[in-house]
Amino acid sequence: MPETTAAPPTPPIPLAALLAREDLGLRQIAGPVEAGAAVHMVHTSEMADPYPYLLGGELLLSAGVLLKDPDRYVSRIVQAGATALGFGLAPVYDTVPADLIEACDRHGLPLLEVPPQTTFTAVARAVWRLMAEARHRELRRVTRAQQGLAAAAARPDPVPAVLHQLAVRLEGWAVLLAPDGTELSSSGRAPSPEARAGVIRLGQVVSPGTAPSPRPTPASATDTVSPPPASESGAAGPAAPAASAVSHLSAYALGGSRGLVLGLAAPTREAGDHTVAGVAVVLLSLLTAPHQGADAAGRSAALVRMLLGAGPAETAPLLGPGPWTVVHGQGGDDSPFAATALGAALGSALVDPDADGCVRVLLPAAREVGAQPGWTLGVSAPALPEELAAADAQAARAVRRATATRKALVRHRDTAPVSLDEARHRLAPLADSPALVETLRTWLSLHGSWDRTAAAMEIHRNTVRQRIARCQTLLDEDLDDADVRMELWFALRHG
């Protein structure tokens, strides 16, 4: 179940918003004018080759102190993934060099002219101020959406009301899907046929279904779809314009609801939309959860049979179909309800707090386990009933590793070799950043040495650390894990 208490991330700002600031006097003089160009940070450098210090998404500011080869200079900036180049007219140049303008046009890099009266510090402050304003707006939007969803959940018809409120807040379409893709309830403007089919397809990705799966299913999935050309779509009448834009799709598995899925199709995907959807997932999970009396009776019967000498394989049918995942949790607060709260957050009532402060939770392997605030978690591999003792030991080792490495969650990894398709899929988040891919490749080949990687790539060791940290975030992998390193190395060699 998605974490809903975290604030949405700080959104980048459109490059157009910075150009609109009259007090700065910035002017774009080369490169494409892209409505989607966004600035994630500001970096000032007078190096002949700033590539080693760029992470991607920067507005790079320079006065051209060491500018000698504009074409190579611009190509390296583009290779690093920077958003734009801001060129200051003082103190080196009175006008922007013509060959730099030509290079930016040739390589597709927006070039901004920074007038002499505008300092680079003023540009950086303007970016941070615009980011702060954008974050404040996003926080207010998310707060209003949370309040609206909570009020909808209190209505006599809560499920349709929550879907309607979600569709209004995201200006799109919200649907509750059965495990087989059947639409149980929906609200909002009907999406294009391509978007509707895409949402149902994503629903199959996140829904655990009824058949056991060798791997846990993800809690959420996203995609985008574009409509076919007008000549192929055959759309006509007043509904045609609504289906003409790109649709951003997402699907979320509902906890404790037997495979139900929340599907969304919206014209945009803002930074706080995932947080808003997470609130709806929690509410819908509670509203659609089945009556727990039969489950409680089954658990009681299983406990009695085990006390009378029955084995796990015999009692497992009373708990539900496997496989199972064992989770060990350390931390939480001092309240007597901490263990129960952890079980509820993970979607299971099978909770065992022990005297050493560890909480053990047993849940179906199809449910995705995510990090929980205040807890350190260790997660076993999926296990059949007769393998639960081994899974318990795996979770214990994983939580010890999580504690030692100060990570919120560590999973026991299956060391079976990954396929080539799986390897390529794992590297997909880095596909748009050659600099990150090459840094990760070199770092792995040199056994994680920061200094030797920096020397081999002719970049600063701090840049190596920043890029590897960025890789870890994008890949959502534990790069301290030897198995993860091995699998990524395989993917980089053969992907």
Side-chain angles (χ1 to χ4, degrees), residues 227-235:
S231 59
E232 299 178 11
S233 64

Side-chain angles (χ1 to χ4, degrees), residues 62-455:
S62 175
V65 175
L66 298 179
L67 181 65
K68 295 182 175 60
D69 185 348
D71 187 77
R72 183 177 185 278
Y73 179 77
V74 172
S75 69
R76 293 284 282 172
I77 294 173
V78 171
Q79 185 180 356
T83 296
L85 171 64
F87 195 85
L89 296 184
V92 181
Y93 290 89
D94 293 330
T95 59
V96 180
D99 46 3
L100 180 62
I101 297 176
E102 294 172 359
C104 287
D105 279 328
R106 185 162 50 251
H107 291 283
L109 178 69
L111 175 62
L112 312 186
E113 179 187 80
V114 183
Q117 68 271 19
T118 301
T119 64
F120 288 172
T121 300
V123 175
R125 284 180 176 175
V127 170
W128 308 141
R129 186 174 293 110
L130 288 170
M131 283 184 171
E133 293 171 355
R135 178 172 175 77
H136 182 62
R137 288 194 301 270
E138 193 67 6
L139 285 172
R140 286 192 301 175
R141 184 178 76 90
V142 169
T143 299
R144 288 194 296 266
Q146 290 174 332
Q147 294 170 345
L149 289 168
R155 291 175 57 89
D157 51 347
V159 171
V162 168
L163 292 174
H164 173 73
Q165 186 68 213
L166 187 60
V168 170
R169 296 295 177 177
L170 301 184
E171 299 181 357
W173 181 64
V175 60
L176 183 65
L177 299 172
D180 62 358
T182 302
E183 297 179 17
L184 303 178
S185 181
S186 65
S187 183
R189 183 173 56 188
S192 67
E194 296 80 16
R196 184 186 297 270
V199 169
I200 294 174
R201 183 179 66 253
L202 288 181
Q204 298 300 306
V205 172
V206 303
S207 175
T210 57
S213 173
R215 293 178 180 270
T217 55
S220 63
T222 60
D223 198 3
T224 57
V225 296
S226 299
S231 59
E232 299 178 11
S233 64
S244 63
V246 173
S247 293
H248 296 267
L249 316 179
S250 53
Y252 300 85
L254 301 189
S257 55
R258 298 178 180 176
L260 297 184
V261 172
L262 170 64
L264 299 171
T268 60
R269 182 179 292 145
E270 303 297 336
D273 287 350
H274 183 70
T275 303
V276 174
V279 174
V281 168
V282 172
L283 294 173
L284 291 171
S285 297
L286 295 172
L287 294 170
T288 60
H291 181 64
Q292 299 298 314
D295 293 344
R299 290 194 296 271
S300 298
L303 177 59
V304 169
R305 292 194 186 184
M306 294 188 74
L307 290 173
L308 294 176
E314 183 180 343
T315 57
L318 295 171
L319 299 176
W324 298 89
T325 297
V326 179
V327 179
H328 279 214
Q330 295 278 3
D333 55 39
D334 296 330
S335 75
F337 308 108
T340 303
L342 176 62
L346 297 178
S348 175
L350 302 176
V351 180
D352 174 31
D354 63 23
D356 296 328
C358 178
V359 177
R360 295 189 292 184
V361 183
L362 182 65
L363 67 159
R367 293 181 186 169
E368 181 71 9
V369 179
Q372 302 298 322
W375 289 94
T376 300
L377 302 182
V379 184
S380 76
L384 296 175
E386 60 270 19
E387 301 168 335
L388 285 177
D392 187 53
Q394 292 173 0
R397 290 193 297 270
V399 78
R400 287 197 296 269
R401 179 175 176 82
T403 301
T405 57
R406 298 183 179 181
K407 296 183 181 299
L409 184 149
V410 167
R411 304 178 191 275
H412 175 82
R413 296 192 60 83
D414 184 355
T415 56
V418 297
S419 68
L420 185 57
D421 288 340
E422 288 176 319
R424 289 171 175 165
H425 177 73
R426 291 178 70 172
L427 289 174
L430 305 183
D432 295 331
S433 182
L436 293 182
V437 172
E438 188 57 32
T439 303
L440 180 60
R441 187 197 312 275
T442 306
W443 183 74
L444 290 173
S445 72
L446 296 174
H447 309 290
S449 170
W450 309 109
D451 292 329
R452 287 195 290 165
T453 302

